[in-house]
Amino acid sequence: MEIFATALPALGDAWALILQPIVLGYLILGVVMGLAVGVFPGLGGIAGLSLLLPFMFGMDPILGLALMIGMVAVVPTSDTFASVLMGIPGSSASQATVLDGFPMAKKGEAARALSAAFASSLFGGLVGATFLTMFILIARPIVLAFGLPEMLMITILGLSMVAILAGRIPLKGLAAAGLGLMIGTIGEADAGGSLRMATYDIPYLTDGLKLVIVGLGIFAVPEIVSLLRQDKSIAKGAKLGGGWADGIKDWFANIWLSIRCSIIGVIVGVIPGLGGSVVDWIAYGHSVQTTKDKSNFGKGEVRGVIGPESSNNAKEGGGLVPTLLFGIPGSGSMAIFIGAVALLGSGDIEVGPNMLKDNLDITYSIVWLLALANVVGTILCIAASGGIAKLTQIRFTYLAPFLFMLISFAAFQSGQNFEDLLALFVIGLIGIFLRRFDWSRPAFLIGFVLSNPVEKFTNQAFQIASFRFRRSFEEGMDYVFSPIVIVLIIVTVVSVILGIRQAKTIMAEGEVQSGSKRAPLVFLLIIAGYLAFALINANMIPDYNMTDKIIPLVVGGFAFLCCVVLLIQMMRRPEGDAIFADKEVSGDDSEAPYGLWGTLAWFASLIIGTFFVGFILALVGFLIAFLRTRAQANWPKTLLLTALGIGFMCFMAGMLNRDFPPGLLQRAVDLPWPLK
C-alpha cells in the first residue's frame, strides 16, 4: 500500500505536467523530427538524439524530455519506410524488417506491409510503456537499496552483455567495448587529475571527447558515406499500392505473435546494452520458428514484418528500465539520452536511483510521454506515407551534403571548438572501419558512455570497502558481496556463457561476407597498437595516483589481450572465415561506383574550408562544388538548394542563439553575423 501511496500522487503529477499545450507541442515537434530522421536510412535515434543534444543545455526539463521522447519513440516506427520502400535498414533496429517488407513492396503490397508494421509498432510501444509503469512500482524499493558495489556490478553486467552479444565473433565485441572504454578515459581523470592520452599543449583533449561527437561519428558518418558512395536514388519507382486495411487485419490475425514479440522486445530492452541491434533478429527468428509454412519467409511473409516491428518499439520501454532506474544505457540511443538529461534545467536531474527518489513525477512523465509519442507517431506516419514514398526517389547525392552540414553544426555545438569538427572526422573514420570489418559499433559507444561510471563506481566502492575491511573482515565482505551483488555476478556469468553460444547467430552489421586476411589484419593491428600505447601512457602515471591508472590498465590490458587472441586466430584460420568479415568484398559497398577516400574528401573539404574562412563561407563553397560536381545539378538548382541550405542553417542558429565555427578569416577581419 505504501508503494501505491507514493506512486499514485506521482502519476497524477506526471499527467499534470504532460497535459500542457506547450509540452504536447514539444512532443509533437520531437515526433516530427524523429519521423524526418527515421526516414533517412542509417541515421536512427542515436544520430537524431545527437543532433538534439547540444540544444538541451538549460532547457526546461519537461520540455526537453518531451522533445527527446518524441524523437526516440517514433524512429523505430518511421525507419520502417526505408526498410519497406528502399530495401535499406532505416536503423539497426529495422534490419530484419527488410527481409520480408521490401519483397512485399516489390510485389505492390507496400501499403499492406507499412500498415501491418505501424499497427505492430504502436502495439509494441504501448506494451513497453505499460510494462515500464508497472515495473517502476515494483522495482523502486529494490533500486533504492542499490549501493556502489551493486551499481558497479550492474555496470559490468551491461558491458559484458553488449560485448558478448554484439556480433558473430565475441572477441570483437569485447575488444570494441574495451576500445570505447579506453577512448572514454582520454583527458583529465576525475579522481586525481592525471592526464591520460592527453597533454596541456592540446587543451581540447584534456576535457575528453564529447558524447555527441562520438555518437555522430560512430553511427551517422559511416552510413552517410556508405549511401553516398552508391550514388543512386534511395528507391526506384516506389509505390504504396493498396491494402491498408489488409495490413491491419494481418496484425490482428497475428496478435499473439505481436504480444510475444513485444514481450521479447521489453526483455531484451531491459538487458543493458543490447537494444535494437539484437532485438529484431530475435523476434524475426521467433516469427520463423512459430510459423508452420516457413517457405514464404524472405519472399514477402507479413509475419516477418509484424514480429520485428512489434519488438523494436517495445524495446524502447524496456530500454528505459536500466536507463532510468540504474543510469545504465539500455541501447545506443539511451546512452545519448543519459547525457542529455544531465544538461536539462539546472543540471540537478540525474538518471538512476536518485531520480526515483527525488523526481518520481518526472520519471512517470517520461513513461507516458513515450506512450503518447507512439500514438502520435503512428498517426503521422500513416498520414505522411504517400508523400514519403515519393521522397524516396530523390538521389541520396542531393541529401548527403545537407546531412554533412547538419552533423558538422551539431558537433560544433558540443564544445564550441573547431577541434570538434576534427574529432568528428576522426571518430567517423573509426566508425567506418568498425562497420566495414563487422566490429560492433553499439559495443564501442556504450563502452565509451560507461567509462566514467565504471571508474567512478570502482574508485568510490574501493575506498569505502577499504575502510570497512580495516574495521573487520566480515564487515568488508558483507559490503562487497551483498546478496544483490552475488545475484548480479551469477547473472553476468550465465549471460556471458549463453551469449557466447548465441553469438554466431547475431550479426552486428548485418550479413557481411568475408574476404582476404590483409585488410582486417591491418585494422586489428592499428587497434592493438593504440591500446598498447594507451597502456604505456597509463602506466606512466605515478603510483600515488593509482586510482587514475588502475581502470585504464585493467580495461586496456583486457582489450589488448582480446586483440592478441584475435591476431592468433587470424593467423591460423583460412581466408573466407567469418573473422575476416569485410563489407568491401561483396554487397552495396563493394559495388559502389565511388571510393571511400574520394567520398570522405568531400567531408574533409568542408572542415578544411571552415578552418580558413569559417563555416558559412565554407558551406557555400562546399554546397556549390558538391551539387555541381558530384550531384551534377544545373546552376539554377545548385544555387536554389545552396540558398535553402544556408537559409535553414541561419534560421536554426538564430532561433537557438548558436554560433558557427569560425576560421582564420574571422580572427583577422571583423565580419557581420552569420559570417563571424
Side-chain angles (χ1 to χ4, degrees):
M1 292 301 295
E2 183 181 349
I3 294 174
F4 287 99
T6 306
L8 290 177
L11 276 169
D13 293 340
W15 278 110
L17 285 172
I18 292 171
L19 296 178
Q20 302 178 61
I22 189 171
V23 175
L24 294 175
Y26 270 80
L27 179 71
I28 293 171
L29 177 61
V31 169
V32 171
M33 295 173 70
L35 174 62
V37 168
V39 167
F40 294 126
L43 294 187
I46 296 175
L49 281 177
S50 297
L51 288 169
L52 287 181
L53 192 58
F55 311 119
M56 293 293 109
F57 287 101
M59 184 180 283
D60 181 86
I62 194 65
L63 298 182
L65 288 170
L67 192 63
M68 289 190 292
I69 293 295
M71 174 172 281
V72 168
V74 78
V75 167
T77 304
S78 60
D79 64 10
T80 308
F81 285 116
S83 300
V84 172
L85 298 175
M86 312 169 196
I88 302 171
S91 68
S92 61
S94 62
Q95 293 172 347
T97 307
V98 173
L99 299 183
D100 286 289
F102 192 48
M104 288 181 71
K106 289 193 289 188
K107 292 193 296 184
E109 297 180 339
R112 178 188 175 196
L114 288 172
S115 60
F118 293 153
S120 304
S121 293
L122 173 60
F123 181 77
L126 294 176
V127 168
T130 304
F131 171 83
L132 187 55
T133 303
M134 295 187 298
F135 192 85
I136 288 174
L137 285 172
I138 300 168
R140 186 171 182 262
I142 301 172
V143 173
L144 295 179
F146 270 58
L148 289 170
E150 290 82 5
M151 294 301 293
L152 176 61
M153 270 311 304
I154 202 164
T155 304
I156 293 172
L157 170 63
L159 283 171
S160 66
M161 292 300 294
V162 69
I164 294 297
L165 294 179
R168 292 175 293 174
I169 309 297
L171 281 173
K172 284 187 177 181
L174 289 168
L179 179 64
L181 273 160
M182 290 300 285
I183 290 179
T185 63
I186 291 175
E188 277 187 338
D190 289 337
S194 301
L195 286 181
R196 299 177 299 202
M197 295 298 290
T199 170
Y200 288 118
D201 294 333
I202 307 177
Y204 180 79
L205 290 178
T206 60
D207 292 332
L209 295 174
K210 304 297 188 295
L211 177 59
V212 60
I213 292 173
V214 176
L216 284 171
I218 288 295
F219 283 93
V221 172
E223 302 300 341
I224 294 170
V225 169
S226 175
L227 288 165
L228 180 56
R229 289 178 58 193
Q230 296 166 32
D231 194 26
K232 58 185 179 183
S233 59
I234 296 174
K236 199 169 185 178
K239 294 181 180 179
L240 284 177
W244 284 104
D246 292 338
I248 303 293
K249 292 176 183 176
D250 288 329
W251 169 77
F252 191 76
N254 294 284
I255 191 168
W256 289 110
L257 172 67
S258 188
I259 292 172
R260 293 195 303 271
C261 288
S262 297
I263 294 171
I264 289 172
V266 168
I267 293 171
V268 173
V270 167
I271 300 172
L274 293 189
S277 60
V278 174
V279 66
D280 61 327
W281 292 112
I282 296 175
Y284 187 82
H286 177 74
S287 302
V288 175
Q289 291 169 349
T290 54
T291 303
K292 291 182 179 179
D293 182 11
K294 301 176 175 58
S295 61
N296 202 36
F297 280 94
K299 303 174 184 176
E301 171 61 61
V302 73
R303 286 172 64 89
V305 173
I306 292 171
E309 290 298 315
S310 298
S311 67
N312 67 21
N313 261 48
K315 73 103 172 43
E316 297 299 336
L320 281 168
V321 171
T323 303
L324 296 179
L325 273 58
F326 303 111
I328 306 299
S331 65
S333 58
M334 290 298 105
I336 307 290
F337 182 80
I338 288 175
V341 169
L343 304 177
L344 295 171
S346 57
D348 55 350
I349 299 178
E350 182 180 357
V351 295
N354 287 336
M355 191 165 186
L356 294 182
K357 182 179 179 181
D358 303 326
N359 302 108
L360 189 59
D361 55 341
I362 292 179
T363 305
Y364 277 121
S365 297
I366 293 172
V367 176
W368 289 105
L369 282 169
L370 180 69
L372 284 175
N374 273 286
V375 175
V376 174
T378 302
I379 294 171
L380 286 179
C381 282
I382 292 173
S385 295
I388 289 172
K390 296 175 183 177
L391 288 174
T392 57
Q393 298 179 47
I394 299 173
R395 284 173 60 201
F396 192 77
T397 313
Y398 282 108
L399 301 176
F402 300 103
L403 294 177
F404 281 139
M405 172 185 77
L406 288 173
I407 65 174
S408 298
F409 179 71
F412 176 75
Q413 302 311 316
S414 65
Q416 296 280 306
N417 292 305
F418 171 77
E419 289 87 346
D420 292 328
L421 301 184
L422 295 178
L424 175 65
F425 186 85
V426 173
I427 297 295
L429 199 58
I430 294 172
I432 286 169
F433 286 109
L434 289 175
R435 176 184 179 276
R436 173 178 170 178
F437 297 117
D438 198 27
W439 290 60
S440 172
R441 288 179 289 166
F444 176 94
L445 179 64
I446 295 174
F448 177 84
V449 171
L450 293 180
S451 60
N452 185 57
V454 164
E455 190 164 25
K456 180 176 71 173
F457 294 144
T458 300
N459 291 337
Q460 293 177 355
F462 176 77
Q463 291 171 6
I464 297 174
S466 299
F467 174 75
R468 298 285 181 93
F469 273 111
R470 282 195 294 269
R471 293 176 62 178
S472 74
F473 180 78
E474 291 77 11
E475 186 176 339
M477 291 297 290
D478 289 341
Y479 176 73
V480 174
F481 293 104
S482 67
I484 297 176
V485 169
I486 293 171
V487 170
L488 289 172
I489 290 173
I490 294 170
V491 171
T492 301
V493 172
V494 172
S495 299
V496 169
I497 293 171
L498 294 177
I500 291 173
R501 291 182 177 179
Q502 297 294 323
K504 292 182 179 179
T505 64
I506 298 170
M507 293 170 284
E509 298 293 348
E511 185 67 46
V512 184
Q513 298 298 319
S514 300
S516 65
K517 289 187 175 185
R518 183 178 176 182
L521 192 59
V522 170
F523 180 65
L524 173 63
L525 290 173
I526 291 172
I527 291 178
Y530 173 82
L531 291 171
F533 187 72
L535 280 170
I536 295 170
N537 177 267
N539 193 52
M540 293 171 63
I541 297 173
D543 289 342
Y544 60 77
N545 263 353
M546 182 60 70
T547 52
D548 291 350
K549 65 187 292 185
I550 188 66
I551 291 298
L553 286 177
V554 172
V555 171
F558 181 75
F560 182 76
L561 179 62
C562 291
C563 289
V564 171
V565 176
L566 276 170
L567 180 61
I568 294 171
Q569 290 181 348
M570 284 186 174
M571 293 174 65
R572 297 180 63 181
R573 294 185 185 181
E575 290 188 349
D577 189 271
I579 202 170
F580 300 112
D582 188 348
K583 282 184 177 287
E584 295 292 334
V585 172
S586 65
D588 290 335
D589 285 3
S590 64
E591 299 167 2
Y594 291 94
L596 169 63
W597 299 110
T599 304
L600 268 178
W602 283 105
F603 188 26
S605 70
L606 176 60
I607 297 174
I608 294 169
T610 300
F611 176 76
F612 286 105
V613 299
F615 184 68
I616 288 296
L617 289 174
L619 184 60
V620 171
F622 168 74
L623 290 176
I624 291 175
F626 188 97
L627 292 170
R628 281 290 296 163
T629 307
R630 185 66 181 268
Q632 296 181 339
N634 57 36
W635 274 111
K637 183 181 289 186
T638 296
L639 295 175
L640 175 62
L641 291 175
T642 299
L644 290 173
I646 299 299
F648 175 76
M649 276 283 91
C650 293
F651 173 77
M652 189 164 69
M655 289 292 291
L656 299 170
N657 194 27
R658 300 291 173 177
D659 293 324
F660 295 112
L664 296 179
L665 179 64
Q666 280 72 19
R667 298 179 187 176
V669 182
D670 186 19
L671 297 170
W673 191 91
L675 302 180
K676 67 178 180 180

